[in-house]
Amino acid sequence: MHDSSYGMSILMIWREAWRNLMATGRSTLLALSGIAIGCASVVAFVNTGHNATLAALKMFSGLDINVITADLNSYNHGIGSDSITMADLTTAIPGLSSAAPWIYYPSPGRYNGKTETFTMIGSSAELEEVMQLRLRYGRFITDYDQHSSYVVIGNEVAVTLGEGDASRMLGKQIQLGNYLYTVIGIFAIKGQNPIFPFSLDSVVIAPINAMRKISPNTDLNGIIARTITTATTESDAKDLLALLKRKFPAVDINVRVAQQLLKGQTEQSKTFSFMLIGLAGISLLTGGIAISNVMLMNVSARRKEIGLRMALGARTQDIRRLFLYEAAALTLAGAILGTLAGIIVAFLFVLYSGWSFSLAPLSIPLGIGSSIMAGLISGFYPAHKASQMEPVQALRDD
């Protein structure tokens, strides 16, 4: 009758495996480093990709998906601010609820003896509705202010000029060019809006007609519009592009939709994550090769030991199991060290990048699981080779 208790117990095999690994010294450390680096790469890359995706999507989280922007680029003949009215657009395209033009001009300015360069934006009262603007103090420009020397400033500008107190700037006058402009409003903290090329926290917005006093060129740089419903956003964007192309054929027009930016960002994040996982897989493969080489060297160095074990009654599966346990122990230790190192590296990278760290749920099981799988696969051939030795031949070898 077969005795199922024949041979060493699992606990004894584990102890024997650890003793054998400790005895090999440098070669064990080399293989341990290889699998640890591979596992650390997997964990670090997965967490880096995860946090990069979250950071990118966070930037888009406040983005209205029913907003359309049209960038107008002209080298010879631009679109003057009087060439088209926003009422023309909303009438021609019923799906648009509102639209606002904008002009960009970097202007030097002075306040309280200090000179700054401001990002000036000339626009209309409709910009407040289109971009769902919120003011911290004061009010936004109205249709009655189009020829008035009024400005609404971003929170960063107000804090800088107000020496830490944004509210101090309400009602104050800033010299822009050769004219004084009165601050009638200060934006609430908005952050970067990917659909708009400038952060509203650091801009100075003036009525578009009042920009003629300081800007030598009042051709439109763009138009931003809001649709009534998100269902028609893409079709309304096509209609807007066709209308502008028909009216201004010499102008290079690029129409963007927030939905397209979201889709593009999602696809880009997936590609980035796959690329990082691929690089991690290469590192893990390198670690597996290191384990395989170390185990093969162990088998060659312990031929007499293997022959003696077989001569004393060790079965083929016992020898195979012993070396597989050694590979598993080596892999498990490397995976644990690599996981800790990978999390630390990812955390430091995310911290340096200015993002908030979030542990990817699958990073730890993926890192440890893939490392153990790579280690066992790499260790199977040396274990099988050891189990197929002839005891007599193994004992004769020097």
Side-chain angles (χ1 to χ4, degrees), residues 323-337:
F323 281 91
L324 280 176
Y325 272 51
E326 290 183 16
L330 191 60
T331 302
L332 183 61
I336 293 173
L337 292 175

Side-chain angles (χ1 to χ4, degrees), residues 84-99:
I84 186 171
T85 65
M86 298 302 102
D88 293 339
L89 295 181
T90 54
T91 300
I93 307 174
L96 299 182
S97 63
S98 55

Side-chain angles (χ1 to χ4, degrees), residues 20-200:
N20 292 335
L21 290 175
M22 293 298 180
T24 54
R26 292 182 179 179
S27 58
T28 297
L29 184 61
L30 176 64
L32 185 69
S33 302
I35 205 67
I37 292 173
C39 181
S41 300
V42 172
V43 174
F45 285 156
V46 170
N47 276 289
T48 300
H50 173 72
N51 284 276
T53 301
L54 291 180
L57 293 179
K58 183 179 179 181
M59 187 174 64
F60 284 85
S61 61
L63 185 62
D64 293 320
I65 60 174
N66 57 337
V67 171
I68 303 170
T69 60
D71 298 325
L72 312 175
N73 303 302
S74 60
Y75 302 99
N76 297 315
H77 304 288
I79 301 177
S81 56
D82 297 329
S83 301
I84 186 171
T85 65
M86 298 302 102
D88 293 339
L89 295 181
T90 54
T91 300
I93 307 174
L96 299 182
S97 63
S98 55
W102 61 271
I103 295 172
Y104 161 71
Y105 180 69
S107 173
R110 289 179 60 84
Y111 174 75
N112 200 20
K114 295 187 295 185
T115 301
E116 301 280 348
T117 298
F118 298 107
T119 300
M120 290 288 301
I121 301 293
S123 191
S124 63
E126 289 79 13
L127 186 66
E128 182 178 19
E129 179 186 349
V130 173
M131 298 194 68
Q132 302 286 291
L133 300 178
R134 298 288 181 269
L135 273 77
R136 187 177 179 185
Y137 306 105
R139 65 176 179 86
F140 197 65
I141 56 177
T142 67
D143 291 331
Y144 300 103
D145 299 325
Q146 279 303 309
H147 295 281
S148 303
S149 299
Y150 292 154
V151 291
V152 181
I153 63 177
N155 185 74
E156 289 182 9
V157 177
V159 170
T160 301
L161 297 180
E163 297 180 348
D165 185 3
S167 62
R168 292 175 55 184
M169 293 306 300
L170 191 63
K172 295 296 192 294
Q173 290 186 320
I174 303 174
Q175 182 180 342
L176 299 170
N178 297 320
Y179 297 88
L180 291 176
Y181 284 74
T182 303
V183 177
I184 62 170
I186 299 171
F187 289 121
I189 298 175
K190 180 75 174 177
Q192 180 68 46
N193 190 330
I195 202 71
F196 197 64
F198 308 102
S199 171
L200 290 174

Side-chain angles (χ1 to χ4, degrees), residues 21 24-32 287-302 323 326 330 382:
L21 290 175
T24 54
R26 292 182 179 179
S27 58
T28 297
L29 184 61
L30 176 64
L32 185 69
I289 293 173
I291 285 184
S292 183
N293 288 336
V294 169
M295 296 304 297
L296 284 172
M297 286 189 294
N298 283 348
V299 171
S300 298
R302 295 161 59 188
F323 281 91
E326 290 183 16
L330 191 60

